[in-house]
Amino acid sequence: MSHGDEQGYSDYGGTGHTRTRLPDQDPYGGAPRRPTRSPSRGLITVVGVVVLLIAAIAFANRGDHPSANSSTPKGTRPQAAPTSPTGTHPVQTKTNGIPSNFAHTGQGAQSAASNYAVALGSTAMFKKDSRDTLLQLLYVPDAAARLQGEMNQAYSADFLSKMGLDAAGDAPKGSTFVSRVSPVGTTVQQYSDSDAKVAVWCVGLIGMAGNSSTDPVTSSWKTWTFDLRWSDGDWKIAGDNQKDGPSPVPGDDPAATSDEISKAIEEYGGFTYAR
């Protein structure tokens, strides 16, 4: 978090002295708390919202009136895929705590991809037994067999140590290891009865919450794309890849303390994600 736009020193009552303004520190090495947004920045935000509102109204008022020169009837114009939630519950069953038996539809593929991103972004991936279970459950058999060895190498004892975990994937006593993914939206890039390519835009949390932690919990934005295959009555992963972003501009919310993060992770559970 950058502090280049903050005032570190200011005149003190015209006496020629200065007073130092120190940021509130996170006890486990996180970023300092940022001050309340300045009036000028608040004014810019208000102006920006007003401009966006005016633009939205203008756009809404202009779109549904074909011009006299238009030769394409409104009903034949290409329609964009809906992006709002449908309210349809994705599944009624779970296997090892993971939603399963998704609908054999594009919407079912989106729900499957979202819930698979949550599972693969969880702390279960840092323990061998639960990781192997996830691979067998979520991937098609040939992909699961190929990935098992690769994943064991990737989640090596050296890697786990860098994350603050022991060789079994456990956090030190008094600390909470955090790894969580929350989908923000999905889109179907390709679809057929046998295969689907679904991209999931998501935000992830990872790090160690603890007073002695040198790796505080941070957030990142990713687009996780899944190649899904209809296999044995459900959508399974044939392959997947990630790329960074799109990332929104960080806000002015103060960074939470280690205790606040640990408490939130314990108190707030996840969701079953639907389209």
Side-chain angles (χ1 to χ4, degrees):
M1 187 179 295
S2 174
H3 294 274
D5 59 339
E6 295 179 0
Q7 194 73 12
Y9 301 92
S10 60
D11 291 334
Y12 189 78
T15 63
H17 297 287
T18 61
R19 59 182 179 183
T20 303
R21 183 163 179 267
L22 298 176
D24 298 332
Q25 295 291 334
D26 181 350
Y28 70 122
R33 296 179 182 271
R34 297 188 64 177
T36 305
R37 180 178 307 196
S38 65
S40 60
R41 294 185 64 186
L43 178 60
I44 292 173
T45 301
V46 172
V47 172
V49 171
V50 172
V51 170
L52 289 174
L53 180 59
I54 293 173
I57 294 173
F59 182 84
N61 289 335
R62 65 134 209 183
D64 293 337
H65 303 286
S67 65
N69 295 328
S70 175
S71 59
T72 304
K74 179 182 176 182
T76 61
R77 297 175 189 170
Q79 299 295 314
T83 57
S84 59
T86 64
T88 302
H89 200 277
V91 294
Q92 301 295 328
T93 58
K94 290 187 177 183
T95 304
N96 291 338
I98 309 299
S100 59
N101 296 327
F102 292 93
H104 194 183
T105 63
Q107 180 171 318
Q110 291 179 80
S111 295
S114 297
N115 285 282
Y116 294 169
V118 172
L120 294 172
S122 70
T123 56
M125 290 296 291
F126 293 81
K127 296 177 178 290
K128 186 181 186 308
D129 290 345
S130 55
R131 180 172 64 247
D132 289 346
T133 298
L134 284 178
L135 294 178
Q136 296 296 327
L137 178 63
L138 303 184
Y139 285 81
V140 295
D142 56 334
R146 182 184 72 253
L147 286 172
Q148 187 167 358
E150 296 178 4
M151 289 291 186
N152 288 339
Q153 290 183 356
Y155 289 89
S156 64
D158 182 59
F159 170 76
L160 295 175
S161 176
K162 292 178 180 178
M163 299 300 298
L165 304 170
D166 63 19
D170 294 318
K173 185 177 181 180
S175 297
T176 302
F177 179 63
V178 180
S179 182
R180 184 177 290 193
V181 166
S182 295
V184 176
T186 61
T187 184
V188 176
Q189 297 180 342
Q190 297 176 12
Y191 179 79
S192 70
D193 284 343
S194 58
D195 300 279
K197 179 187 281 293
V198 178
V200 182
W201 183 34
C202 50
V203 59
L205 303 175
I206 191 165
M208 188 75 71
N211 292 332
S212 61
S213 172
T214 58
D215 184 26
V217 180
T218 59
S219 62
S220 63
W221 291 83
K222 304 285 184 181
T223 298
W224 202 337
T225 302
F226 294 90
D227 292 310
L228 300 176
R229 184 185 305 166
W230 187 254
S231 174
D232 195 24
D234 208 352
W235 290 109
K236 302 291 184 180
I237 306 171
D240 59 289
N241 63 82
Q242 288 186 24
K243 67 177 183 179
D244 294 336
S247 303
V249 177
D252 290 334
D253 299 321
T257 65
S258 170
D259 289 342
E260 290 172 332
I261 290 292
S262 298
K263 185 178 180 180
I265 291 298
E266 293 171 359
E267 291 184 350
Y268 296 94
F271 297 95
T272 297
Y273 285 88
R275 174 67 168 78

